[in-house]
Amino acid sequence: MELFTKRKPGSRVVDLVQQRELQESAARSISRKLKVTPNFLKRLGLETELEGHEGCVNCLEWNESGSMLASASDDMRVILWDPFSYKVKYNIQTGHSGNIFTVKFLPNSNDSILVTGAGDYKIRVHDISISDILLVCNCHYGRVKRFGTAPGVPFLFWSASEDGLIMQYDIRVPHSCKSNVQKNVLINLSNHTGRFTEAKCINVNPRRPELIAVGASDAYIRMYDRRMIKLSNSPDSTISNSNVLNLGKGDYDNNVPLACAQYFIAGHLRYKDNCKKYCTTYLTFSDDGNELLVNMGAEQIYLFDINNHGNSRNFIVPVELITNDGDGNEPIVENSNTPVVLEDLSSINFTDFSPEVEELQKRAKQAFKEERYANAVTLYNDAIDLCPNAAILYGNRAGTYMKRAWDGDIYAALRDCRVTLALDPEHVKAHFRMARCLFDLNRVKEANIVMKNFAEKFPEFTNNSACKSLRKDIKEAMNTNKESQASKQSIEVKISDYEREWRKNAIDFKLRLCGHCNTITDIKEANFFGDDGQFIIAGSDDGSFFIWDRYTTNIARVLKGDQRIVNCLQPHPSMCLLATSGIDPVIRLWSPMPEDGSVNVWEVENSNDAAIANHIRMNTDHYEVMFFNMGYRFPGQGSGNGQDDNEDRQDSSNTQPLNCRPS
């Protein structure tokens, strides 16, 4: 058994070039890998600033060949740039009377047909070859936030608006706004979720253009097969319209059938109270069409596997899936959606660790002792990437997540506990931590069952102070929950039966990426960087943009991209060139800099410190953010207050203390 293997053997540029020479069939895939290499990423720096707008630049869009970049702004203009000469090719007065939020080239239009949507609720189709407006659409009665187009599908585009409508347009067909005859509504979210649901973003699968993903003003991400949907009339915006009576009750004539939709959600958000306002600010499919990347407002960035239909309902170990094997052994969680694919469930012993993994674990344990939990998580990510079948690494990372206690960390710890138990069913702390996590996630019934199974399997720990304390907490919480259940049900929002079924079968995430802050704007993007999607990029409220290694989920680089907020990041379609924009009225182009030893002044050196500061921003009142940016700190904004004070020792001894109370 090979105990240590590099993730990407032969990944050096020289190795890839040599492979391309020897194997002609691999030329295309190797060219994709050469687009954004680790060396290029390390040298990424500011190439130039494109000046021309007089307001925030809210959206960027490359044409298919990458020879032109479109930008749109609060100044209600669209500028088309030559990204290589840095010159303006077209400066378009769009005719909008509100901030422009979205701009798209229509496919196969020779880059001459451009579509814009804005805060004036209008959509305009521009033919830049003749400087004319082909269409002005007033169908929406909310701000138009995003367009979707499909490669190779000319004349069609889709819009997402804050009125909750997803509309489809075919510019070959005569259009009449607010017509009883015109049918261009693909999806009306309000029919299923009530009056106040807003559509925030939309994206079309590049490999399967029948699949359209929609992000809204809640924690759910929706994907529809448009082949199964019947277009309907645009509803009247007036409150007296009879359509209002149907809000939350479903479509009139089953326009959106049950089988056409698949929902996704980060598991812990499914049961979250509405004390925070979540919304999807951006989503995009991977180049192969198999994954969906989502930037969740007031939360983190998530990657979903759209083909993962087998693991749909396991978020926080539902009580009906926690059973006993009949002999009093550990809880059996059926169909668990683990964050990694385990080729076999045989855990390796710590003595089989390579020196590199050994060193990473040693440094992680030291960081944990020094309460540098973000650093410890990063080190465990690296170790797990190199040695993915070590139960002790997942167990220790779970304990570290619980101490760091960022948004979603307790749920991440629960997932790690499940992997730990799959690899090592005798792992005592993983059993106990699972119960602790379930309790902290307010899944009290599940926590109670896990603790009962724990007591039967490990009776020697039943009198442990941490166990007794958790059992007491669970008992009190169960009594409290019984009293509050009736009042909770009385304030539930009305949703349709279909919506309830779609949410019930929603799919959990595959990867989670932390470090940025996304609370102030609702247009903040996240994108794949590199044609293999090996890196992921996103802007942040601290004026930086973050680059993650998707295999370890660690931050690879942080660069300062704006004086206040970076919103937009659009990679060039065929080379290592990145366009970014935000509050500043400029577009910045980033590319690999020469290796001349000069200092990159845009580099944020300590990425973990930046991530910690953003965690504080994410959980700070907006008024306090101003003071935070001036250097002030507020009570309770120190390190995480997780529950597990002790990591596992290297020998994973079952005699370890179970001190899992807050310190």
Side-chain angles (χ1 to χ4, degrees):
M1 173 178 167
E2 187 173 347
L3 300 176
F4 171 68
T5 305
K6 290 284 187 182
R7 183 181 70 248
K8 294 285 186 181
S11 60
R12 297 182 306 163
V13 171
V14 64
D15 296 330
L16 293 171
V17 172
Q18 184 180 32
Q19 185 182 351
R20 182 174 62 184
E21 293 174 351
L22 297 176
Q23 190 176 357
E24 185 177 352
S25 61
R28 184 177 181 275
S29 63
I30 290 172
S31 295
R32 287 161 54 93
K33 293 177 183 177
L34 289 172
K35 176 181 170 182
V36 180
T37 67
N39 180 264
F40 284 172
L41 194 74
K42 184 179 180 181
R43 294 190 283 120
L44 196 70
L46 183 66
E47 179 179 318
T48 193
E49 293 181 346
L50 304 179
E51 299 181 0
H53 283 293
E54 298 175 355
C56 306
V57 181
N58 299 321
C59 48
L60 300 170
E61 179 75 9
W62 293 98
N63 65 345
E64 188 175 357
S65 66
S67 62
M68 193 156 47
L69 175 67
S71 61
S73 166
D74 284 355
D75 61 15
M76 294 166 283
R77 291 184 296 131
V78 170
I79 298 179
L80 301 183
W81 307 85
D82 182 332
F84 305 110
S85 68
Y86 315 142
K87 294 181 179 179
V88 175
K89 299 185 71 171
Y90 298 94
N91 194 329
I92 303 171
Q93 299 292 338
T94 62
H96 284 292
S97 59
N99 302 346
I100 301 175
F101 293 112
T102 180
V103 60
K104 279 282 187 181
F105 291 98
L106 285 195
N108 299 348
S109 67
N110 198 27
D111 301 329
S112 63
I113 307 299
L114 202 67
V115 191
T116 56
D120 59 5
Y121 307 174
K122 294 179 181 179
I123 293 170
R124 291 176 175 264
V125 181
H126 311 261
D127 189 334
I128 59 178
S129 66
I130 58 175
S131 301
D132 196 12
I133 303 291
L134 301 182
L135 171 67
V136 178
C137 175
N138 300 295
C139 288
H140 283 296
Y141 52 94
R143 298 191 300 175
V144 180
K145 299 310 292 284
R146 291 284 178 179
F147 291 133
T149 59
V153 182
F155 310 113
L156 279 182
F157 68 95
W158 297 265
S159 62
S161 166
E162 290 180 338
D163 56 15
L165 299 177
I166 307 300
M167 292 192 179
Q168 176 175 299
Y169 302 86
D170 187 336
I171 63 172
R172 299 169 298 180
V173 178
H175 180 82
S176 175
C177 297
K178 309 300 182 186
S179 168
N180 292 328
V181 178
Q182 187 77 38
K183 292 181 179 290
N184 67 330
V185 175
L186 188 72
I187 301 152
N188 186 344
L189 297 177
S190 300
N191 284 349
H192 294 278
T193 60
R195 179 194 301 280
F196 301 108
T197 301
E198 302 174 348
K200 294 290 189 180
C201 49
I202 186 171
N203 199 269
V204 182
N205 192 311
R207 303 292 179 178
R208 299 174 59 191
E210 70 274 11
L211 298 180
I212 293 181
V214 174
S217 55
D218 58 23
Y220 287 90
I221 296 92
R222 298 151 168 89
M223 185 176 71
Y224 301 92
D225 187 335
R226 62 184 174 88
R227 298 172 300 180
M228 304 170 66
I229 300 175
K230 297 179 293 185
L231 294 177
S232 61
N233 291 359
S234 177
D236 195 327
S237 63
T238 61
I239 193 69
S240 61
N241 185 2
S242 60
N243 290 344
V244 173
L245 300 176
N246 204 61
L247 295 177
K249 297 182 179 179
D251 297 304
Y252 302 105
D253 55 356
N254 199 28
N255 297 69
V256 184
L258 184 63
C260 82
Q262 175 63 66
Y263 280 26
F264 305 85
I265 190 172
H268 59 291
L269 298 183
R270 183 177 188 176
Y271 301 99
K272 205 75 155 157
D273 293 332
N274 289 325
C275 55
K276 266 186 165 183
K277 180 67 173 177
Y278 298 104
C279 73
T280 303
T281 63
Y282 191 80
L283 46 72
T284 185
F285 286 97
S286 59
D287 184 63
D288 62 10
N290 291 323
E291 295 173 325
L292 187 59
L293 182 66
V294 174
N295 199 344
M296 182 62 62
E299 248 278 341
Q300 316 293 353
I301 292 170
Y302 295 96
L303 186 68
F304 296 91
D305 180 354
I306 71 167
N307 302 310
N308 187 14
H309 298 288
N311 292 326
S312 59
R313 294 178 58 183
N314 275 336
F315 298 95
I316 308 185
V317 198
V319 64
E320 65 269 18
L321 298 182
I322 301 180
T323 62
N324 200 285
D325 67 1
D327 299 319
N329 292 329
E330 72 277 8
I332 299 173
V333 183
E334 300 173 3
N335 194 28
S336 65
N337 182 15
T338 59
V340 294
V341 176
L342 304 174
E343 294 182 0
D344 62 76
L345 296 180
S346 57
S347 176
I348 70 168
N349 189 276
F350 76 93
T351 57
D352 297 323
F353 285 164
S354 70
E356 187 174 359
V357 174
E358 191 83 45
E359 177 63 22
L360 286 169
Q361 184 182 222
K362 179 180 177 181
R363 290 169 56 198
K365 291 172 72 67
Q366 184 62 34
F368 184 93
K369 290 178 182 177
E370 295 171 0
E371 299 186 359
R372 295 183 291 112
Y373 304 120
N375 298 71
V377 168
T378 296
L379 292 164
Y380 280 126
N381 290 343
D382 283 331
I384 288 171
D385 183 53
L386 296 172
C387 190
N389 328 18
I392 188 174
L393 296 179
Y394 291 101
N396 282 349
R397 188 172 68 177
T400 309
Y401 277 140
M402 295 169 75
K403 286 295 289 183
R404 191 177 70 168
W406 290 3
D407 292 332
D409 272 357
I410 301 302
Y411 185 69
L414 173 61
R415 287 165 59 107
D416 272 357
C417 288
R418 288 160 61 180
V419 178
T420 305
L421 292 174
L423 293 166
D424 179 10
E426 302 300 316
H427 199 290
V428 180
K429 282 195 171 185
H431 278 275
F432 183 78
R433 286 171 179 153
M434 176 177 278
R436 181 79 244 180
C437 289
L438 288 167
F439 177 79
D440 290 342
L441 291 165
N442 201 31
R443 309 306 298 166
V444 182
K445 289 183 179 179
E446 292 92 329
N448 186 47
I449 292 175
V450 172
M451 278 305 292
K452 287 181 178 179
N453 284 318
F454 178 87
E456 293 175 358
K457 185 173 180 64
F458 304 109
E460 65 272 26
F461 287 98
T462 54
N463 292 322
N464 181 280
S465 60
C467 290
K468 287 162 55 173
S469 179
L470 181 55
R471 286 198 300 270
K472 179 182 177 182
D473 290 344
I474 290 172
K475 184 177 179 180
E476 292 176 355
M478 290 182 72
N479 291 332
T480 303
N481 283 354
K482 289 178 182 178
E483 297 172 0
S484 63
Q485 194 65 32
S487 60
K488 183 177 179 181
Q489 289 176 350
S490 64
I491 60 173
E492 285 185 353
V493 177
K494 172 68 176 177
I495 60 175
S496 72
D497 291 339
Y498 278 13
E499 181 73 15
R500 189 170 290 104
E501 188 68 17
W502 290 328
R503 293 185 177 190
K504 176 183 176 183
N505 293 308
I507 292 175
D508 200 359
F509 66 86
K510 178 180 180 180
L511 292 177
R512 181 179 70 122
L513 303 157
C514 302
H516 81 316
C517 180
N518 181 9
T519 58
I520 297 177
T521 62
D522 65 351
I523 57 172
K524 201 167 278 93
E525 299 177 347
N527 261 307
F528 296 96
F529 196 32
D531 275 355
D532 277 349
Q534 62 268 45
F535 300 103
I536 289 171
I537 54 177
S540 176
D541 289 343
D542 64 352
S544 302
F545 66 92
F546 284 67
I547 307 175
W548 291 268
D549 180 333
R550 67 160 291 170
Y551 298 104
T552 64
T553 70
N554 285 338
I555 299 169
R557 289 198 75 189
V558 183
L559 294 167
K560 192 72 175 175
D562 193 272
Q563 292 299 314
R564 284 166 286 180
I565 298 172
V566 177
N567 284 321
C568 306
L569 303 95
Q570 291 294 326
H572 190 276
S574 59
M575 63 178 62
C576 189
L577 179 64
L578 177 66
T580 68
S581 68
I583 304 301
D584 295 342
V586 300
I587 298 98
R588 293 184 170 92
L589 296 180
W590 308 80
S591 63
M593 296 289 98
E595 295 181 291
D596 56 5
S598 61
V599 177
N600 187 345
V601 297
W602 300 88
E603 180 88 30
V604 177
E605 292 187 359
N606 195 321
S607 59
N608 275 322
D609 283 354
I612 292 168
N614 278 330
H615 161 67
I616 296 172
R617 281 188 184 89
M618 196 96 80
N619 292 276
T620 301
D621 183 271
H622 285 183
Y623 288 104
E624 294 180 356
V625 169
M626 295 184 293
F627 296 100
F628 176 83
N629 290 335
M630 295 169 63
Y632 291 93
R633 295 296 181 270
F634 297 89
Q637 290 182 350
S639 57
N641 62 343
Q643 281 72 28
D644 198 345
D645 288 330
N646 295 279
E647 285 187 305
D648 293 348
R649 292 179 184 170
Q650 222 173 34
D651 61 6
S652 191
S653 171
N654 284 343
T655 61
Q656 290 293 309
L658 289 173
N659 184 1
C660 293
R661 298 294 295 164
S663 56

